[in-house]
Amino acid sequence: MREVAITGVGSTSFGKHEGRGLESLAVEAANGALKRAGVERKEIGAVYLGNFIAGPLSGQEVLAGIVADELGLENIPCTKVEGACASGGIAFRHAVLSVAAGLCDAALVVGVEKMTHASGGQVTQALNCAMDNRSDGPSGLTFPGLFGLAWRIHAAKYGTSRDEVSAVVIKNKANGLKNPLAQLGADLSPEIIRQSQPIADPIQLYDCCPVSDGAAAVIVVAKERARDAPDLPIDVLASVQTRGSPRIGGHQDIVSFDATVKAAERAYQAAGLRPSDIDLVELHDCFSMAEIIDSEDLGLIPRGLGAKWAAEGRTRVGGEIPINASGGLLAKGHPVGATGVGQLYETVLQLRGLHANQVKGAGIGMTHNLGGAGIACSVSILKRSDA
Amino acid sequence: MQDKPGMVEVLRCGACGALDAGPREICPRCHQAALQRHAVAGEGTLLTWTVIRRPPAAFRAEGCYAVAVVELDAGVKVTGRLEAPEDVKGLGARVRLLRSKDGVATFRAA
């Protein structure tokens, strides 16, 4: 397998894009990435487009081909990738595989979602497509509900408190204020969070990511082709994809997701690195409790201490392991199919030293994208090519 | 003395005897297409629960409701409903089946 690197990146802001369709958002992000790719459009040999719910919410499929046509790409394979909330990260892995295997020298990855035009009930219903609807779905469970279930177990097992969980929210919302692409940065206090509406006990409003529109794109190239790019190439040390149980009953407990644990193990092994080598991580904080579980599953924080480390400031920018300097899904937003690609975009800016909320001296970054009730996961490790 | 609890329908593999909450097509242990409906006692332990206050569109008419994960004494985990969550003493509490409707079991404190 060949070594691969990321050259061009592009992104829309995440948030409410009223009157703009999926195609418009995806083309803006992808065209931005193509302009900085260092390769010609005719050299792009494959497109992988991450998207989850364009069918139920917008009545539009075949987006990969539509977007490639708009961009003036050749008659290349264009594939939509669906893995619920992990769609974008999985799309990236497929592009990495295509280039690493030598099937093409350059590939476009774009993730896109359009959600804010639909009602809350429609969005919740569409997101529930990510459950196994033969088993957990009929109970009326929702995704906030899943993390409410997890929260009670985490609290009982490890003594995690409301205010410790709030530290995750406060950190990510504050990080979001510094990110020009973020939808919902905020300066919050534990009191404001405690008084916010209950959603799925103990999950409250500020524990949830917003509903978002947005798109992000990256260009993956064979490493030897990266030298012509206008910006510092970022090496892809690992890009891993795993499966976990689709059902709550299939997990040992729900304060750990096997898909993440296995993806992280394989990614560290592929990169020849340990958790302590990671300078920053963009991980899947669809809910506050999700960040806590993810950070433990990735081996970055000892089991049970995810919330306590946040409360001690160890996960903020400047701390031992900065988590979600972008604001994460909680503050930057979660246009589902775009999220995983957006995490890569943010990490590339960090590793180039160009991020608005820069982690000083960042040389190695990790991204983590988790789908459904832990059924699909992708973890990637990136490195500055001159580090 | 309490009445005998109701039964919860799960799946049992006719080939190897494995139990599973289902629905499933083939046995998760031996992979034979030999799963049969099997009733087990509706008694178990509450693993966790939540109150859904923003239901999906299909459940909107029900208002708020509690969803629970229960480990039945037969060794099968089911995702169902919890009636009167204020009556449970915490995680690990004993619960028993109150009713089953459309394949969803509703439990309450035993």
Side-chain angles (χ1 to χ4, degrees):
Chain A
M1 299 283 260
R2 298 192 291 180
E3 290 184 56
V4 303
I6 296 172
T7 55
V9 296
S11 183
T12 68
S13 61
F14 284 8
K16 197 173 172 72
H17 287 279
E18 217 163 338
R20 289 187 65 188
L22 289 151
E23 305 82 354
S24 165
L25 296 168
V27 168
E28 178 190 329
N31 208 32
L34 282 166
K35 285 181 178 166
R36 311 294 294 179
V39 297
E40 299 293 322
R41 274 170 211 248
K42 63 176 185 289
E43 294 179 85
I44 300 290
V47 174
Y48 290 95
L49 182 141
N51 175 261
F52 176 39
I53 41 174
L57 290 187
S58 301
Q60 183 65 64
E61 295 289 2
V62 295
L63 279 169
I66 291 174
V67 170
D69 186 65
E70 281 259 0
L71 292 168
L73 303 182
E74 302 288 319
N75 292 339
I76 54 173
C78 298
T79 308
K80 175 183 150 173
V81 175
E82 187 277 311
C85 306
S87 300
I90 297 171
F92 173 70
R93 175 174 180 269
H94 282 74
V96 169
L97 286 180
S98 290
V99 176
L103 300 176
C104 56
D105 286 340
L108 165 67
V109 187
V110 54
V112 64
E113 208 73 68
K114 173 81 185 166
M115 304 168 76
T116 65
H117 62 291
S119 73
Q122 285 174 318
V123 168
T124 307
Q125 190 80 29
L127 293 174
N128 265 28
C129 293
M131 270 182 209
D132 185 335
N133 282 311
R134 299 170 301 170
S135 54
D136 297 323
S139 69
L141 185 65
T142 59
F143 280 100
L146 173 69
F147 285 95
L149 295 172
W151 184 323
R152 276 198 213 280
I153 298 177
H154 204 280
K157 257 180 128 161
Y158 307 116
T160 302
S161 70
R162 166 72 267 186
D163 283 358
E164 286 169 348
V165 177
S166 294
V168 171
V169 180
I170 291 167
K171 166 184 67 76
N172 290 1
K173 291 291 191 181
N175 284 342
L177 284 176
K178 296 183 179 170
N179 185 349
L181 298 187
Q183 177 174 5
L184 214 58
D187 181 13
L188 295 180
S189 67
E191 291 71 32
I192 291 173
I193 296 169
R194 246 187 271 126
Q195 287 158 17
S196 69
Q197 291 169 43
I199 302 291
D201 309 358
I203 296 274
Q204 293 178 257
L205 185 64
Y206 284 115
D207 294 301
C208 306
C209 65
V211 168
S212 319
D213 308 327
V218 304
I219 308 292
V220 175
V221 302
K223 194 169 172 185
E224 67 265 22
R225 296 300 317 277
R227 59 176 171 266
D228 302 328
D231 309 308
L232 178 71
I234 300 298
D235 292 343
V236 180
L237 299 186
S239 186
V240 170
Q241 178 187 350
T242 52
R243 177 189 79 84
S245 171
R247 300 176 178 188
I248 291 171
H251 295 288
Q252 182 71 30
D253 52 32
I254 47 172
V255 290
S256 174
F257 294 106
D258 278 355
T260 299
V261 172
K262 290 283 184 299
E265 279 172 14
R266 289 175 202 170
Y268 290 127
Q269 192 180 14
L273 295 174
R274 292 173 303 177
S276 57
D277 296 320
I278 304 297
D279 296 321
L280 72 127
V281 61
E282 288 287 323
L283 56 69
H284 203 87
D285 60 328
C286 44
F287 301 94
S288 52
M289 182 46 62
E291 171 161 324
I292 293 161
I293 294 171
D294 298 342
S295 62
E296 297 172 14
D297 281 344
L298 292 168
L300 299 169
I301 296 180
R303 187 62 68 188
L305 299 183
K308 291 183 172 62
W309 276 42
E312 289 163 7
R314 295 159 85 165
T315 61
R316 64 169 189 240
V317 172
E320 284 158 74
I321 176 65
I323 298 179
N324 291 328
S326 69
L329 285 59
L330 286 174
K332 189 189 172 194
H334 185 24
V336 177
T339 292
V341 188
Q343 294 174 323
L344 292 156
Y345 173 93
E346 299 287 340
T347 303
V348 165
L349 292 196
Q350 287 282 358
L351 297 176
R352 285 177 177 161
L354 300 173
H355 201 278
N357 191 23
Q358 182 66 41
V359 172
K360 257 188 211 154
I364 296 173
M366 171 180 265
T367 60
H368 163 264
N369 202 193
L370 184 66
I375 190 174
C377 183
S378 116
V379 168
S380 295
I381 299 178
L382 309 182
K383 179 173 171 279
R384 271 182 80 98
S385 56
D386 61 353
Chain B
M1 285 289 284
Q2 284 190 303
D3 295 339
K4 193 171 181 292
M7 305 296 273
V8 175
E9 196 169 89
V10 298
L11 297 174
R12 183 177 180 280
C13 178
C16 77
L19 293 179
D20 189 87
R24 265 187 193 279
E25 301 302 312
I26 62 172
C27 174
R29 189 160 77 187
C30 75
H31 314 301
Q32 297 298 309
L35 294 173
Q36 295 153 352
R37 291 177 180 188
H38 180 74
V40 298
E43 281 186 305
T45 304
L46 179 67
L47 296 181
T48 184
W49 61 280
T50 181
V51 178
I52 305 294
R53 298 179 189 276
R54 299 281 185 89
F59 293 88
R60 188 124 297 182
E62 296 188 46
C64 299
Y65 49 85
V67 168
V69 184
V70 171
E71 181 152 30
L72 297 172
D73 292 343
V76 175
K77 281 188 222 172
V78 296
T79 305
R81 291 282 182 93
L82 181 65
E83 185 91 352
E86 62 279 6
D87 292 345
V88 300
K89 293 199 169 59
L91 305 194
R94 293 292 298 168
V95 293
R96 53 165 33 207
L97 185 74
L98 178 66
R99 61 177 170 270
S100 268
K101 194 182 163 217
D102 302 329
V104 178
T106 299
F107 297 88
R108 65 168 306 153

